Amino acid sequence: MKILLVTPPLTQLNTPYPATCHLLGFLRSKGVDAEQMDLSIELIQTLFTSKNLKAIFEKAGALPKLSKQNKIMLQQADFYIQTIDPVMRFLSERDNSLAQRFSNRDFWPVNKRLPSEDDLEWGFGAIGNHDRAKHLCTLFLKDLCDFINQTIDSRFELIRYAESLCLRLPEFAPLQAELEKPLSLIDELMLEIFAKRITESKPDFVGFSIPFPGNLYSALRCAQWIKTNSQNTKIIFGGGYINTELRDLTDPTIFNYIDFITFDDGELPLLRLLTGGEFIRTFYRDSSGIIVRANFESKENIKFSESGTADYDGLLQNNYINLIELTNPMHALWSNGRWNKMMLAHGCYWGKCAFCDGSLDYIGRYEAAPIELIVDRMEAIMQQTGQSGFHFVDEAAPPALLRKLAEEILRRKITVSYWTNVRFEKSFTPELCYILSQSGCIAISGGLEVASPRILKLINKGITIETARESMKNFAEVGIMTHAYLMYGFPTETEKETIESLEVVRNLFEEGYIQSAFWHRYAMTIHSPSGQQPETVGAKHIDTDKGSFANNEIPFTTSHEIDLDFYGKGLNLATYNYMNGAGYDIEVRKWFK
């Protein structure tokens, strides 16, 4: 039996999303004939060519009405068509000689995104031409994405596809209605690439990893094609979106498009499907049209230490592109650089935060492996990819494990760069931060969440503002950049506490203890402690009918309601300025005028 593992459009474009790589490594270690493709980057590389841009501009030019901005872009179509191929070569680092030309502000047409010379000088200085050119090329692509979204396909965004359609989808019918519509130009390009691969590979199974809502529509479009053109091929869905949203699925309609849905870690469910073993954590539709939930509650899993080394075979030829949307160097790590993605440990060693999906396996089952094995995997991946940068995508990397990692890297005398997610706890002493820096740690991200002592205690974060500040300070003093995850709208949070949280964040930026931050709006989920026991955080569920398709977010009320749209705008505007080194002297209340 042969399986093709697919990452459907669209995910980040600078590096492979890790799911299929890890599954491929495991399945091949068990003797399974497996391949993978990143349909996301392949679509972008096909879309952003002079040939296809010409077709897009011609189609847009036939529309009866265009906005003023889109009319201007249509008038500049020749520039975009002749420039797109060199831009894509440069962003994929196949032609770095273009940096000098692309870093010149005068090269680009004037538009709403084009920054001033002063802003460029502030962000990149006199010799940062390569990153400056990446930034301007990124803005060029974003302008094109806006044009495509507003004229050709309203579902299209640079790293998402039809996300708004699938964000909250309690019933399958709206998505089914979209799937019954004629193909868009983007759909046609995607299916042309996909069909060619299926024809060449001839897999018995195709497994789609669906990490985000923005991957679901495109995966189903591909599944449609298989059902029409390759009826003997079985289709499997799995991934992060599936694990959080479809656990209570009761509408069998999706099985008109697919054959199986697997949950939680995919290694064992896929192995059983492919080798004829007993199904585990797998949904399928039986002959009477009923959904069968095969061994859904089973806790049996492949040990983390036995899950194998990620395999990038099939992805190394892809021209991933590096993007810099903001001049902030910490923010750029998510989109700039081809990072090898790994986990130091499975799950979260804390696992108690009230807002987090701690009841799900990917968080709730903490399991580590010997650090020697982890570094062996790092060295094997470096040998395969030729890249020495690593992003450890742990829920939270334990300080003790990071110490062992750093010591093993130093012992082996290997040169790497890495970054990961942590909890801002007191264990990150100056001495530990120094060792991490010496071993190659360049950045960390972590959840400060709500910078309010009362709310931090309510969400059971297990840290204080003081300990978080101290650990951030220790990271900063050894040159490790820090990104803070922040939250607003937690039940019972007051306007005063929201504003005071921003003041804490302003101070952290001004002191240089954090370089980047992002505010997430709190959502109550069915898998979190706050969702399962809302009264413990001062909230109450709003009674609604349970959806037959996707179920994750729970509507709720709380004793103290604030205008979250209003405060969210102020928080994000202030933090955007802080990330660009501005606005520290503005009193925080003024951001909410």
Side-chain angles (χ1 to χ4, degrees):
M1 288 293 176
K2 181 179 184 180
I3 185 169
L4 174 65
L5 301 167
V6 180
T7 301
L10 285 162
T11 56
Q12 65 186 115
L13 305 176
N14 60 307
T15 198
Y17 193 79
T20 64
C21 304
H22 287 276
L23 291 171
L24 186 74
F26 170 76
L27 291 174
R28 285 186 171 179
S29 74
K30 299 299 181 182
V32 174
D33 187 2
E35 297 178 354
Q36 67 182 331
M37 74 177 298
D38 187 343
L39 187 54
S40 186
I41 188 61
E42 290 191 38
L43 172 61
I44 290 298
Q45 286 290 344
T46 301
L47 173 63
F48 288 119
T49 59
S50 57
K51 174 187 173 183
N52 285 316
L53 275 197
K54 184 177 180 182
I56 287 168
F57 279 113
E58 287 177 352
K59 190 170 183 178
L63 295 175
K65 290 185 179 181
L66 290 175
S67 69
K68 181 180 178 180
Q69 180 62 34
N70 288 331
K71 286 180 181 177
I72 292 172
M73 286 194 64
L74 195 59
Q75 292 167 358
Q76 299 169 335
D78 286 346
F79 174 83
Y80 286 93
I81 292 167
Q82 74 182 35
T83 307
I84 188 62
D85 290 336
V87 163
M88 295 299 283
R89 290 200 309 272
F90 173 71
L91 290 176
S92 59
E93 298 190 342
R94 290 174 290 145
D95 191 351
N96 288 326
S97 66
L98 287 163
Q100 193 70 31
R101 191 167 190 210
F102 286 164
S103 67
N104 183 351
R105 183 180 179 275
D106 293 335
F107 175 83
W108 304 97
V110 175
N111 58 49
K112 63 181 181 180
R113 278 199 174 95
L114 187 66
S116 69
E117 185 62 41
D118 288 343
D119 285 343
L120 289 170
E121 185 71 20
W122 180 88
F124 302 103
I127 60 173
N129 285 337
H130 195 270
D131 281 352
R132 172 172 161 142
K134 281 185 190 176
H135 177 56
L136 290 168
C137 287
T138 300
L139 301 183
F140 170 84
L141 284 188
K142 287 185 72 66
D143 284 336
L144 280 172
C145 288
D146 285 351
F147 184 81
I148 293 170
N149 175 273
Q150 294 163 21
T151 62
I152 302 299
D153 189 340
S154 61
R155 295 184 289 256
F156 181 77
E157 295 182 51
L158 191 57
I159 57 170
R160 298 176 179 88
Y161 194 21
E163 182 179 69
S164 59
L165 174 64
C166 304
L167 265 177
R168 292 173 182 82
L169 201 62
E171 308 298 332
F172 187 69
L175 181 53
Q176 185 177 16
E178 291 296 315
L179 293 168
E180 292 172 353
K181 292 180 179 179
L183 298 175
S184 70
L185 175 62
I186 307 299
D187 293 335
E188 290 173 352
L189 289 174
M190 174 185 70
L191 291 177
E192 183 179 333
I193 301 164
F194 183 68
K196 181 180 178 183
R197 181 58 184 270
I198 295 295
T199 302
E200 293 172 350
S201 184
K202 296 180 173 61
D204 302 291
F205 290 84
V206 177
F208 291 91
S209 178
I210 304 171
F212 310 114
N215 303 103
L216 180 60
Y217 169 84
S218 54
L220 283 165
R221 276 298 194 192
C222 292
Q224 266 185 320
W225 185 92
I226 293 173
K227 288 296 182 185
T228 302
N229 299 281
S230 184
Q231 290 93 338
N232 293 328
T233 304
K234 300 298 183 183
I235 304 165
I236 309 168
F237 274 14
Y241 174 86
I242 302 297
N243 292 334
T244 56
E245 299 281 349
L246 300 190
R247 304 185 83 86
D248 295 321
L249 175 71
T250 57
D251 180 358
T253 309
I254 192 173
F255 291 102
N256 294 342
Y257 302 85
I258 67 175
D259 298 285
F260 304 101
I261 300 175
T262 65
F263 291 85
D264 301 326
D265 284 5
E267 286 86 352
L268 189 57
L270 281 179
L271 186 64
R272 296 278 179 85
L273 273 169
L274 297 170
T275 58
E278 182 183 20
F279 288 176
I280 185 169
R281 292 188 299 280
T282 300
F283 287 4
Y284 63 94
R285 185 174 60 184
D286 66 15
S287 58
S288 63
I290 303 300
I291 296 175
V292 178
R293 301 160 61 94
N295 290 314
F296 184 60
E297 303 300 331
S298 174
K299 303 299 181 185
E300 184 181 359
N301 273 294
I302 302 297
K303 290 183 179 179
F304 177 63
S305 60
E306 298 174 3
S307 60
T309 301
D311 191 334
Y312 286 81
D313 182 38
L315 306 183
L316 298 174
Q317 77 282 5
N318 290 335
N319 296 314
Y320 290 90
I321 59 175
N322 294 294
L323 304 173
I324 299 179
E325 183 176 356
L326 300 181
T327 58
N328 184 287
M330 177 69 219
H331 183 276
L333 286 181
W334 273 273
S335 60
N336 185 29
R338 186 162 172 170
W339 303 96
N340 301 311
K341 293 181 180 286
M342 289 181 60
M343 288 194 301
L344 294 171
H346 184 283
C348 180
Y349 69 100
W350 176 250
K352 301 175 184 178
C353 294
F355 60 85
C356 200
D357 290 341
S359 64
L360 295 183
D361 179 79
Y362 81 98
I363 292 176
R365 177 168 58 92
Y366 177 73
E367 187 181 345
I371 203 63
E372 294 80 8
L373 176 61
I374 297 297
V375 182
D376 285 345
R377 290 175 178 174
M378 291 175 66
E379 291 193 299
I381 290 172
M382 288 167 62
Q383 183 68 31
Q384 186 184 25
T385 66
Q387 303 292 322
S388 60
F390 289 86
H391 179 196
F392 296 111
V393 294
D394 295 56
E395 295 303 312
L401 194 59
L402 282 173
R403 178 183 291 275
K404 290 179 181 179
L405 172 71
E407 290 172 346
E408 184 65 14
I409 289 171
L410 292 169
R411 187 186 71 79
R412 298 193 192 191
K413 298 180 180 179
I414 59 177
T415 301
V416 296
S417 300
Y418 65 91
W419 54 298
T420 189
N421 195 50
V422 302
R423 296 178 65 250
F424 294 122
E425 55 180 86
K426 61 182 179 181
S427 299
F428 288 108
T429 62
E431 183 256 353
L432 174 56
C433 291
Y434 175 77
I435 293 173
L436 294 176
S437 174
Q438 291 299 297
S439 69
C441 181
I442 59 169
I444 57 94
S445 57
L448 176 60
E449 315 308 350
V450 179
S452 158
R454 184 183 72 86
I455 302 294
L456 275 177
K457 186 176 180 179
L458 188 63
I459 66 176
N460 199 22
K461 186 67 184 177
I463 63 172
T464 66
I465 295 174
E466 291 73 25
T467 59
R469 179 188 294 273
E470 186 64 23
S471 62
M472 292 171 180
K473 177 175 180 288
N474 294 337
F475 283 120
E477 288 182 344
V478 295
I480 295 175
M481 296 185 294
T482 295
H483 171 87
Y485 295 110
L486 304 164
M487 182 189 300
Y488 68 101
F490 196 80
T492 75
E493 183 182 4
T494 66
E495 294 95 332
K496 183 174 182 291
E497 287 170 324
T498 303
I499 294 169
E500 288 175 348
S501 290
L502 182 60
E503 173 58 30
V504 171
V505 171
R506 185 202 65 78
N507 183 257
L508 290 171
F509 271 105
E510 189 173 31
E511 294 291 337
Y513 296 164
I514 61 175
Q515 286 69 47
S516 174
F518 186 81
W519 292 90
H520 300 259
R521 182 165 169 169
Y522 167 76
M524 181 177 285
T525 69
I526 60 176
H527 311 296
S528 67
S530 60
Q532 294 170 349
Q533 295 181 301
E535 67 279 358
T536 62
V537 296
K540 182 180 179 181
H541 289 171
I542 296 174
D543 291 334
T544 56
D545 293 334
K546 197 169 190 178
S548 61
F549 186 65
N551 289 282
N552 186 32
E553 191 171 334
I554 304 171
F556 69 93
T557 60
T558 183
S559 58
H560 191 93
E561 303 278 358
I562 65 174
D563 187 342
L564 295 178
D565 291 335
F566 172 75
Y567 282 96
K569 289 177 182 177
L571 293 169
N572 285 304
L573 179 60
T575 304
Y576 175 83
N577 277 273
Y578 300 157
M579 287 172 60
N580 286 285
Y584 300 143
D585 57 342
I586 298 176
E587 203 276 322
V588 292
R589 292 181 182 276
K590 292 186 177 180
W591 296 107
F592 304 102
K593 299 296 185 183

